Amino acid sequence: MRIDVVTIFPSYFTPLGESLIGRAITEGRLAVGIHDLRQWTDDPHRTVDDAPYGGGPGMLMTPVPWGRALDETLLLRPPPAAGSVLVIPTPSGRRFTQGDAENLVSTGHVVIACGRYEGIDARVAEHYRARAEATAGAEHPEAARLRVAEVSLCDAVLAGGEVAALAIIEAAARLLPGVLGNADSPREDSFGPVWDGLVEGPSYTRPEQWRGLTVPAVLRSGDHGAITRWRRAQAQARTRIMRPDLLRTAPGDDPGEPGAQAP
Ligand code: SAM
């Protein structure tokens, strides 16, 4: 899998050299390219922003360097057979999910466009969505090779797309074969098939007693059937309290906003 990130703060991505993802890169399971958007500017100040039409606070990222950057980073030679996804993190996007992370892994190539200021001129997403739609399903050499996903990391506004990009990379890369010590872990994590897409219930390790709190007896019973039933009930109870929205969303539901292609 290859991930290219376009940003005005390349040094944000230094932590990718650490831990599981660092090892995945060293072992050749994951290739990451970090690109400075300013290399695609052509004025002496390497300007990437301008005032918004219609007024309003702050500055917007101008589409000109973005078009050059994305044309170059998306058009890999040779093109990956499984296609490319352009991911545009934005608080106004569709919520990024575990299913999205899985879809990214099955795609050969991901490009992440990190916005700053008040975001990226809307024509950038519009342009690449139109390009993706024009080729999807057609007998065109680029057919189905490009998808565009505007995704939100959380219902809060960050200062830039870099933290969202790091989170998206980590969520996808840990699913690559050989990255996790136990290949079954994601099945048993929150949102995994073991819990039918719900969040995981509480987990415990030694010591059995800690500050007056005791590990539930059923987990120490050795009765695997009872443990499975207890864990399932705990997952449902925790989901009801923490994430009732997950109980309302049937697996595979597509929120279906216009232009919100799944990664
Ligand atoms: N004016 C934009 C809005 O209200 O939707 C917010 C722009 S935000 C300050 C600047 C950049 O941070 C965005 O272009 C995006 O790249 C990133 N960003 C901020 N919050 C995000 C979130 N919740 N999810 C993903 N990206 C986010």
Side-chain angles (χ1 to χ4, degrees):
M1 179 185 194
R2 178 174 175 90
I3 303 180
D4 286 286
V5 180
V6 183
T7 170
I8 57 169
F9 292 117
S11 56
Y12 247 93
F13 294 89
T14 310
L16 289 177
E18 302 286 336
S19 187
L20 287 179
I21 311 300
R23 211 174 59 220
I25 294 171
T26 310
E27 291 173 353
R29 301 179 199 279
L30 172 68
V32 178
I34 307 296
H35 311 275
D36 187 343
L37 176 68
R38 293 190 197 277
Q39 73 186 274
W40 285 284
T41 58
D42 48 17
D43 67 304
H45 301 291
R46 306 173 86 204
T47 308
V48 294
D49 60 321
D50 210 331
Y53 276 108
M59 301 292 270
L60 266 184
M61 295 189 108
T62 166
V64 180
W66 275 111
R68 295 174 186 151
L70 296 178
D71 282 353
E72 211 167 300
T73 49
L74 279 168
L75 295 177
L76 281 186
R77 289 289 173 258
S84 297
V85 182
L86 170 59
V87 176
I88 305 178
T90 167
S92 61
R94 189 173 53 73
R95 178 89 62 89
F96 182 76
T97 66
Q98 184 68 18
D100 293 332
E102 288 163 11
N103 286 339
L104 290 181
V105 170
S106 53
T107 304
H109 182 219
V110 178
V111 175
I112 309 181
C114 298
R116 277 273 154 181
Y117 314 109
E118 287 306 319
I120 304 174
D121 185 302
R123 289 170 293 180
V124 173
E126 196 182 325
H127 169 80
Y128 288 98
R129 229 171 14 233
R131 261 168 72 165
E133 279 163 16
T135 56
E139 290 190 15
H140 185 282
E142 281 192 353
R145 282 219 312 268
L146 174 64
R147 283 172 291 141
V148 178
E150 293 181 85
V151 294
S152 171
L153 191 65
C154 55
D155 290 348
V157 178
L158 310 169
E162 288 75 12
V163 167
L166 282 167
I168 290 166
I169 293 169
E170 191 159 298
R174 70 188 284 280
L175 302 178
L176 285 168
V179 171
L180 291 178
N182 183 342
D184 272 345
S185 293
R187 290 177 45 76
E188 305 205 8
D189 283 329
S190 292
F191 317 114
V194 165
W195 313 114
D196 294 329
L198 305 184
V199 297
E200 190 185 47
S203 306
Y204 304 87
T205 184
R206 277 183 282 274
E208 193 177 309
Q209 301 274 348
W210 180 76
R211 298 192 177 182
L213 300 169
T214 308
V215 174
V218 63
L219 295 179
R220 296 176 278 121
S221 69
D223 179 342
H224 295 296
I227 291 171
T228 300
R229 286 191 296 280
W230 183 87
R231 285 186 167 147
R232 185 165 290 276
Q234 291 291 316
Q236 284 166 354
R238 189 166 172 87
T239 303
R240 251 192 313 279
I241 295 165
M242 296 292 183
R243 293 295 305 275
D245 57 305
L246 293 177
L247 294 167
R248 287 193 294 271
T249 312
D253 260 11
D254 179 357
E257 301 98 311
Q261 294 177 347

